[in-house]
Coordinates of all heavy atoms in Angstrom, one line a residue:
M1 N 135.3 -2.0 64.7 CA 134.4 -3.2 64.9 C 133.5 -3.1 66.1 O 133.3 -4.1 66.7 CB 135.3 -4.4 64.8 CG 135.7 -4.9 63.4 SD 134.4 -5.0 62.2 CE 133.7 -6.5 62.8
A2 N 133.1 -1.8 66.5 CA 132.3 -1.7 67.7 C 130.9 -2.0 67.4 O 130.0 -2.4 68.2 CB 132.5 -0.3 68.3
Y3 N 130.5 -1.8 66.0 CA 129.2 -2.0 65.7 C 129.2 -2.8 64.4 O 129.6 -2.3 63.3 CB 128.5 -0.6 65.4 CG 127.1 -0.7 65.0 CD1 126.1 -1.1 65.9 CD2 126.7 -0.2 63.7 CE1 124.8 -1.2 65.5 CE2 125.3 -0.3 63.4 CZ 124.4 -0.8 64.3 OH 123.1 -0.9 63.9
H4 N 128.8 -4.1 64.4 CA 128.9 -4.9 63.1 C 127.6 -5.9 63.0 O 127.8 -7.1 62.9 CB 130.2 -5.8 63.4 CG 130.3 -6.5 64.6 ND1 129.7 -7.8 64.9 CD2 130.8 -6.1 65.8 CE1 130.0 -8.2 66.1 NE2 130.6 -7.2 66.7
P5 N 126.5 -5.3 63.0 CA 125.3 -6.1 62.8 C 125.2 -6.9 61.5 O 124.4 -7.9 61.4 CB 124.1 -5.2 63.0 CG 124.6 -3.9 62.6 CD 126.1 -3.9 63.0
F6 N 125.9 -6.5 60.6 CA 125.9 -7.0 59.2 C 127.2 -7.8 58.9 O 127.5 -8.2 57.8 CB 125.7 -6.1 58.1 CG 124.3 -5.4 58.3 CD1 124.3 -4.1 59.0 CD2 123.2 -5.9 57.8 CE1 123.0 -3.4 59.1 CE2 122.1 -5.2 57.9 CZ 121.9 -4.1 58.5
G7 N 128.0 -8.2 59.9 CA 129.2 -8.9 59.7 C 130.3 -8.0 59.1 O 130.1 -6.8 59.0
A8 N 131.3 -8.7 58.7 CA 132.4 -7.9 58.1 C 133.2 -8.9 57.1 O 133.0 -10.1 57.1 CB 133.3 -7.4 59.2
G9 N 134.1 -8.2 56.4 CA 135.0 -9.1 55.6 C 134.4 -9.6 54.4 O 133.4 -9.0 53.9
S10 N 134.8 -10.6 53.7 CA 134.5 -11.1 52.4 C 133.0 -11.7 52.5 O 132.4 -11.7 51.4 CB 135.5 -12.1 51.8 OG 135.5 -13.3 52.8
R11 N 132.5 -12.1 53.6 CA 131.1 -12.6 53.7 C 130.2 -11.6 54.3 O 129.1 -12.0 54.9 CB 131.1 -13.9 54.6 CG 132.1 -14.9 54.0 CD 132.0 -15.1 52.6 NE 130.7 -15.7 52.1 CZ 130.4 -17.0 51.8 NH1 131.5 -17.8 51.9 NH2 129.2 -17.3 51.4
I12 N 130.5 -10.3 54.2 CA 129.6 -9.3 54.8 C 128.2 -9.3 54.2 O 128.2 -9.8 53.0 CB 130.3 -7.8 54.7 CG1 129.5 -6.9 55.5 CG2 130.4 -7.5 53.1 CD1 130.3 -5.5 55.6
C13 N 127.2 -9.0 54.9 CA 125.8 -9.1 54.4 C 125.7 -8.3 53.1 O 126.0 -7.1 53.1 CB 124.9 -8.6 55.4 SG 123.2 -8.5 54.9
I14 N 125.1 -8.9 52.0 CA 125.0 -8.2 50.8 C 123.6 -7.4 50.8 O 123.3 -6.5 50.0 CB 124.9 -9.2 49.6 CG1 123.7 -10.1 49.6 CG2 126.2 -9.9 49.4 CD1 123.5 -10.8 48.4
G15 N 122.8 -7.6 51.9 CA 121.5 -6.9 52.0 C 121.7 -5.6 52.9 O 120.6 -5.1 53.2
E16 N 122.8 -5.3 53.2 CA 122.9 -4.2 54.3 C 122.2 -2.9 53.8 O 121.4 -2.4 54.6 CB 124.4 -3.9 54.7 CG 124.4 -2.7 55.6 CD 125.8 -2.6 56.3 OE1 126.8 -3.3 55.9 OE2 126.0 -1.6 57.1
D17 N 122.5 -2.4 52.6 CA 121.9 -1.2 52.2 C 120.4 -1.3 52.0 O 119.8 -0.4 52.5 CB 122.5 -0.8 50.8 CG 123.9 -0.4 50.8 OD1 124.5 -0.2 51.9 OD2 124.6 -0.3 49.7
F18 N 119.9 -2.4 51.5 CA 118.4 -2.6 51.5 C 117.9 -2.7 52.9 O 116.8 -2.0 53.2 CB 118.1 -3.9 50.7 CG 116.7 -4.2 50.7 CD1 115.8 -3.6 49.8 CD2 116.1 -5.1 51.6 CE1 114.5 -3.8 49.9 CE2 114.8 -5.3 51.6 CZ 114.0 -4.8 50.7
A19 N 118.6 -3.3 53.9 CA 118.0 -3.4 55.2 C 118.0 -2.0 55.9 O 117.0 -1.7 56.6 CB 119.0 -4.2 56.0
W20 N 119.0 -1.2 55.6 CA 119.0 0.2 56.2 C 117.8 1.0 55.6 O 117.1 1.7 56.4 CB 120.4 0.9 55.9 CG 121.4 0.6 56.9 CD1 122.5 -0.1 56.7 CD2 121.4 1.0 58.4 NE1 123.3 -0.2 57.9 CE2 122.6 0.4 58.9 CE3 120.5 1.6 59.2 CZ2 123.0 0.7 60.2 CZ3 120.9 1.9 60.5 CH2 122.1 1.3 61.0
L21 N 117.6 0.9 54.4 CA 116.5 1.6 53.7 C 115.2 1.2 54.3 O 114.4 2.0 54.5 CB 116.6 1.4 52.2 CG 115.4 2.0 51.3 CD1 115.6 3.6 51.4 CD2 115.5 1.5 49.9
E22 N 115.0 0.0 54.4 CA 113.7 -0.6 54.9 C 113.5 -0.2 56.3 O 112.4 0.2 56.7 CB 113.8 -2.2 54.7 CG 112.4 -2.8 54.9 CD 112.5 -4.3 54.8 OE1 113.5 -4.8 55.0 OE2 111.4 -5.0 54.4
A23 N 114.5 -0.3 57.1 CA 114.4 0.0 58.5 C 114.1 1.5 58.7 O 113.3 1.9 59.5 CB 115.7 -0.3 59.2
T24 N 114.8 2.4 57.9 CA 114.5 3.8 57.9 C 113.0 4.1 57.6 O 112.4 4.9 58.3 CB 115.4 4.6 57.0 OG1 116.8 4.3 57.4 CG2 115.2 6.1 57.2
L25 N 112.5 3.5 56.5 CA 111.1 3.7 56.1 C 110.2 3.2 57.2 O 109.2 3.8 57.5 CB 110.8 2.9 54.8 CG 111.6 3.5 53.6 CD1 111.3 2.7 52.3 CD2 111.1 5.0 53.3
L26 N 110.5 2.0 57.8 CA 109.6 1.5 58.8 C 109.5 2.3 60.0 O 108.5 2.6 60.5 CB 110.1 0.1 59.2 CG 109.3 -0.7 60.3 CD1 107.9 -1.0 59.7 CD2 110.0 -1.9 60.7
L27 N 110.7 2.8 60.5 CA 110.9 3.6 61.7 C 110.1 4.9 61.4 O 109.4 5.5 62.2 CB 112.2 3.9 62.0 CG 112.5 4.5 63.4 CD1 111.8 3.6 64.5 CD2 114.0 4.7 63.7
S28 N 110.2 5.6 60.2 CA 109.6 6.8 60.0 C 108.1 6.6 59.9 O 107.4 7.5 60.4 CB 110.2 7.5 58.6 OG 109.8 6.7 57.6
S29 N 107.7 5.5 59.3 CA 106.2 5.2 59.3 C 105.6 5.1 60.6 O 104.6 5.6 61.1 CB 105.9 4.0 58.5 OG 106.2 4.2 57.2
L30 N 106.3 4.3 61.5 CA 105.9 4.1 62.9 C 105.9 5.4 63.7 O 105.0 5.6 64.6 CB 106.7 3.0 63.6 CG 106.5 1.6 63.2 CD1 107.6 0.7 63.8 CD2 105.0 1.1 63.6
S31 N 106.9 6.2 63.5 CA 107.1 7.4 64.2 C 106.0 8.5 64.0 O 105.8 9.3 64.8 CB 108.5 8.0 64.0 OG 109.5 7.2 64.3
R32 N 105.4 8.4 62.8 CA 104.3 9.3 62.5 C 103.0 8.9 63.5 O 102.3 9.9 63.8 CB 103.8 9.0 61.1 CG 104.8 9.7 60.1 CD 104.2 9.7 58.7 NE 103.1 10.6 58.5 CZ 101.9 10.2 57.9 NH1 101.8 8.9 57.5 NH2 101.0 11.1 57.9
R33 N 102.9 7.8 63.8 CA 101.7 7.3 64.6 C 102.0 7.1 66.1 O 101.2 7.2 67.0 CB 101.2 5.9 64.1 CG 100.7 6.1 62.7 CD 99.9 4.9 62.3 NE 99.6 5.0 60.8 CZ 100.2 4.2 59.9 NH1 101.2 3.3 60.2 NH2 100.0 4.3 58.6
Y34 N 103.3 6.8 66.4 CA 103.6 6.5 67.8 C 104.8 7.3 68.3 O 105.9 7.5 67.5 CB 103.9 5.1 68.0 CG 102.7 4.1 67.6 CD1 102.6 3.5 66.4 CD2 101.7 4.0 68.5 CE1 101.6 2.8 65.9 CE2 100.6 3.2 68.1 CZ 100.6 2.6 66.9 OH 99.5 1.8 66.4
R35 N 104.8 7.6 69.5 CA 106.0 8.2 70.1 C 106.7 7.1 71.0 O 106.1 6.5 71.7 CB 105.6 9.4 71.0 CG 106.8 10.1 71.8 CD 106.2 11.3 72.6 NE 107.1 11.7 73.5 CZ 108.2 12.5 73.4 NH1 108.3 13.0 72.2 NH2 108.9 12.9 74.3
I36 N 108.0 6.8 70.7 CA 108.7 5.8 71.4 C 109.8 6.4 72.2 O 110.7 7.0 71.7 CB 109.4 4.9 70.3 CG1 108.2 4.4 69.4 CG2 110.1 3.7 70.9 CD1 108.7 3.6 68.1
Q37 N 109.6 6.2 73.5 CA 110.7 6.7 74.4 C 111.4 5.6 75.0 O 110.8 4.9 75.9 CB 110.0 7.6 75.5 CG 109.4 8.9 74.9 CD 108.4 9.5 76.0 OE1 107.3 9.1 76.2 NE2 109.0 10.5 76.7
A38 N 112.7 5.5 74.7 CA 113.5 4.5 75.3 C 113.9 4.6 76.6 O 114.2 5.8 77.0 CB 114.7 4.1 74.4
D39 N 113.9 3.6 77.6 CA 114.4 3.8 78.9 C 115.9 4.1 78.8 O 116.6 3.6 78.1 CB 114.2 2.4 79.6 CG 114.6 2.5 81.0 OD1 115.4 3.0 81.5 OD2 113.6 2.0 81.9
P40 N 116.3 5.2 79.6 CA 117.7 5.7 79.5 C 118.7 4.5 80.0 O 119.9 4.7 79.5 CB 117.8 6.8 80.4 CG 116.5 6.8 81.2 CD 115.5 6.0 80.5
G41 N 118.3 3.5 80.6 CA 119.2 2.4 81.1 C 119.4 1.5 80.0 O 119.0 0.3 80.1
F42 N 120.2 1.8 78.9 CA 120.4 0.9 77.8 C 121.2 -0.3 78.4 O 122.3 -0.1 79.1 CB 121.1 1.7 76.7 CG 121.5 0.7 75.6 CD1 120.4 0.2 74.8 CD2 122.7 0.3 75.2 CE1 120.6 -0.5 73.7 CE2 123.0 -0.5 74.1 CZ 121.8 -0.9 73.4
P43 N 120.9 -1.5 78.0 CA 121.6 -2.7 78.6 C 122.9 -3.0 78.1 O 123.5 -4.0 78.3 CB 120.7 -3.8 78.4 CG 119.9 -3.5 77.2 CD 119.8 -2.0 77.3
G44 N 123.5 -2.2 77.2 CA 124.7 -2.6 76.5 C 124.5 -3.5 75.3 O 123.4 -3.8 75.0
V45 N 125.6 -4.0 74.7 CA 125.4 -4.9 73.6 C 126.1 -6.2 73.9 O 126.9 -6.4 74.8 CB 126.1 -4.3 72.3 CG1 125.4 -3.0 71.8 CG2 127.6 -3.9 72.6
S46 N 125.5 -7.2 73.2 CA 126.1 -8.5 73.3 C 126.6 -9.0 71.9 O 125.8 -9.3 71.0 CB 124.9 -9.5 73.7 OG 125.3 -10.9 73.6
P47 N 127.8 -8.9 71.7 CA 128.4 -9.4 70.4 C 128.5 -10.9 70.4 O 129.3 -11.5 71.1 CB 129.8 -8.7 70.4 CG 130.2 -8.3 71.9 CD 128.9 -8.5 72.7
A48 N 127.6 -11.4 69.5 CA 127.6 -12.8 69.2 C 127.8 -13.0 67.7 O 128.7 -12.3 67.2 CB 126.4 -13.4 69.7
I49 N 127.1 -13.9 67.1 CA 127.2 -14.0 65.5 C 126.8 -12.8 65.0 O 127.3 -12.1 64.1 CB 126.4 -15.3 65.2 CG1 127.2 -16.5 65.6 CG2 126.4 -15.2 63.6 CD1 126.4 -17.8 65.3
T50 N 125.7 -12.2 65.6 CA 125.2 -10.9 65.2 C 125.3 -10.1 66.5 O 125.3 -10.5 67.7 CB 123.9 -10.8 64.7 OG1 122.9 -11.4 65.7 CG2 123.7 -11.6 63.3
L51 N 125.3 -8.7 66.3 CA 125.4 -7.9 67.5 C 123.9 -7.5 67.9 O 123.1 -7.1 67.1 CB 126.1 -6.4 67.0 CG 126.4 -5.5 68.1 CD1 127.4 -6.1 69.1 CD2 126.8 -4.1 67.5
R52 N 123.7 -7.8 69.2 CA 122.3 -7.6 69.7 C 122.4 -6.9 71.0 O 123.4 -6.9 71.7 CB 121.5 -8.9 69.8 CG 122.3 -9.9 70.7 CD 121.8 -11.3 70.6 NE 121.8 -11.8 69.4 CZ 121.1 -12.8 68.9 NH1 120.1 -13.3 69.6 NH2 121.2 -13.2 67.6
P53 N 121.1 -6.3 71.6 CA 121.2 -5.8 72.8 C 121.6 -6.7 74.0 O 121.3 -8.0 73.8 CB 119.8 -5.3 73.1 CG 119.2 -5.3 71.6 CD 119.9 -6.3 70.9
G54 N 122.2 -6.3 75.0 CA 122.7 -7.1 76.0 C 121.5 -7.7 77.0 O 121.7 -8.5 77.9
G55 N 120.2 -7.1 76.8 CA 119.2 -7.4 77.5 C 118.0 -6.7 77.0 O 118.0 -6.1 75.9
P56 N 116.8 -6.8 77.6 CA 115.6 -6.2 77.3 C 115.9 -4.7 77.1 O 116.7 -4.1 77.8 CB 114.6 -6.6 78.4 CG 115.2 -7.6 79.0 CD 116.6 -7.6 79.0
V57 N 115.1 -4.1 76.1 CA 115.3 -2.6 75.9 C 113.9 -2.0 76.2 O 113.1 -1.8 75.2 CB 115.8 -2.3 74.4 CG1 116.0 -0.7 74.3 CG2 117.1 -3.0 74.1
P58 N 113.5 -1.8 77.4 CA 112.1 -1.2 77.7 C 112.0 0.1 77.1 O 112.9 1.0 77.0 CB 112.2 -1.1 79.2 CG 113.5 -1.4 79.7 CD 114.4 -1.9 78.6
A59 N 110.8 0.3 76.6 CA 110.4 1.6 76.0 C 108.9 1.9 76.1 O 108.2 1.0 76.5 CB 110.7 1.5 74.5
L60 N 108.6 3.2 76.3 CA 107.2 3.6 76.5 C 106.7 4.0 75.0 O 107.3 5.0 74.4 CB 107.2 4.8 77.5 CG 105.9 5.4 77.7 CD1 104.9 4.2 78.4 CD2 105.9 6.7 78.6
V61 N 105.7 3.3 74.6 CA 105.0 3.7 73.3 C 103.7 4.3 73.5 O 102.8 3.6 74.1 CB 105.0 2.3 72.5 CG1 104.4 2.6 71.1 CG2 106.3 1.7 72.3
T62 N 103.6 5.5 73.0 CA 102.3 6.1 73.1 C 101.8 6.6 71.7 O 102.6 6.9 70.8 CB 102.4 7.4 74.0 OG1 103.5 8.2 73.7 CG2 102.4 7.1 75.4
R63 N 100.5 6.5 71.5 CA 99.9 6.9 70.3 C 99.9 8.4 70.1 O 99.6 9.1 71.0 CB 98.6 6.3 70.2 CG 97.9 6.6 68.8 CD 96.4 6.1 68.7 NE 96.4 4.7 68.5 CZ 96.4 4.1 67.3 NH1 96.5 4.8 66.2 NH2 96.2 2.8 67.1
R64 N 100.4 8.8 68.9 CA 100.3 10.4 68.7 C 98.8 10.7 68.3 O 98.1 9.7 67.7 CB 101.3 10.6 67.5 CG 102.7 10.5 67.8 CD 103.5 10.9 66.6 NE 104.9 10.6 66.8 CZ 105.9 11.4 67.5 NH1 105.4 12.5 68.1 NH2 107.0 10.9 67.6
P65 N 98.4 11.9 68.4 CA 97.1 12.4 67.9 C 97.1 12.2 66.4 O 98.1 12.2 65.8 CB 97.1 13.8 68.2 CG 98.1 14.1 69.2 CD 99.1 12.9 69.1
A66 N 95.9 11.8 65.9 CA 95.7 11.6 64.5 C 96.1 12.9 63.7 O 95.7 14.0 64.2 CB 94.3 11.2 64.2
P67 N 96.9 12.8 62.6 CA 97.1 14.0 62.0 C 96.0 14.7 61.2 O 95.1 14.0 60.9 CB 98.2 13.7 60.8 CG 97.9 12.1 60.7 CD 97.3 11.6 62.0
A68 N 95.9 15.9 61.1 CA 94.9 16.7 60.5 C 94.7 16.2 59.0 O 95.7 16.0 58.4 CB 95.0 18.2 60.5
P69 N 93.5 16.1 58.6 CA 93.3 15.7 57.2 C 93.9 16.7 56.1 O 93.9 18.0 56.5 CB 91.8 15.6 57.0 CG 91.2 16.2 58.2 CD 92.2 16.4 59.3
V70 N 94.3 16.2 55.1 CA 95.1 17.1 54.1 C 93.9 17.6 53.2 O 93.0 16.9 52.7 CB 96.1 16.3 53.3 CG1 96.8 17.2 52.3 CG2 97.2 15.8 54.2
G71 N 94.0 19.0 52.8 CA 93.2 19.5 51.8 C 91.8 20.2 52.4 O 91.5 20.1 53.5
Ligands
HEM101 C1 118.5 -6.1 59.6 C2 118.7 -6.9 58.6 C3 119.9 -7.8 58.3 C4 120.9 -8.3 59.1 C5 121.1 -7.7 60.6 C6 121.8 -9.0 58.4 C7 122.9 -9.7 59.0 C8 123.7 -10.4 58.2 C9 124.9 -11.1 58.7 C10 125.4 -10.9 60.2 C11 125.5 -11.8 57.9 C12 126.7 -12.7 58.0 C13 127.9 -11.9 57.6 C14 129.2 -12.6 57.8 O1 129.3 -13.8 57.7 O2 130.2 -11.9 58.2 C15 124.6 -11.7 56.7 C16 124.8 -12.4 55.4 C17 124.0 -12.3 54.4 N1 122.9 -11.5 54.3 FE1 122.1 -10.3 55.7 N2 121.2 -9.2 57.2 C18 120.1 -8.5 57.0 C19 119.4 -8.3 55.9 C20 119.6 -9.0 54.7 C21 118.8 -8.8 53.6 C22 117.6 -7.8 53.4 C23 119.3 -9.5 52.6 C24 118.9 -9.7 51.2 C25 118.1 -9.0 50.5 C26 120.4 -10.2 53.1 C27 121.3 -11.2 52.5 C28 122.3 -11.7 53.0 C29 123.2 -12.7 52.3 C30 122.9 -13.2 50.8 C31 124.2 -13.0 53.2 C32 125.3 -14.0 52.9 C33 126.5 -13.3 52.3 C34 127.7 -14.2 52.0 O3 127.9 -15.2 52.7 O4 128.5 -14.0 51.1 N3 120.6 -9.8 54.5 N4 123.6 -10.9 57.0

C-alpha cells in the first residue's frame, strides 16, 4: 500500500484501467511536443484520501522542434 491513488478494497476505483490508458495516451501526446524535465528534488508523497505529491513538483518544460513532415 505504498502507492494507492485509486484506493483499495471493495470500493476501489472502477475507472482505474481507463484512467491509466487515458494518462498514457495524454503523456505520450504531450511528450511528442514537449520535453519535461522534473526537478530531482521530489517532495515525497502525501497520503490522504488520495495519494498526492507532498508539495509542488517543479519541472522544466521546453518545446521540441517540429517533427519533419511525413511523405
Ligand atoms: C486519475 C484518475 C482517477 C483517480 C486518481 C481516481 C481515484 C479514485 C479513488 C481514490 C476512489 C475511491 C476508492 C476508495 O474508496 O477506496 C475512486 C472511486 C471511484 N472511481 Fe475513480 N479515479 C480516477 C478515475 C476514474 C474514472 C475515469 C472513472 C470512471 C470512468 C472513475 C470511477 C470511479 C467510481 C465509480 C468510483 C466509486 C467506486 C465505488 O465506490 O464502488 N474513476 N476513484
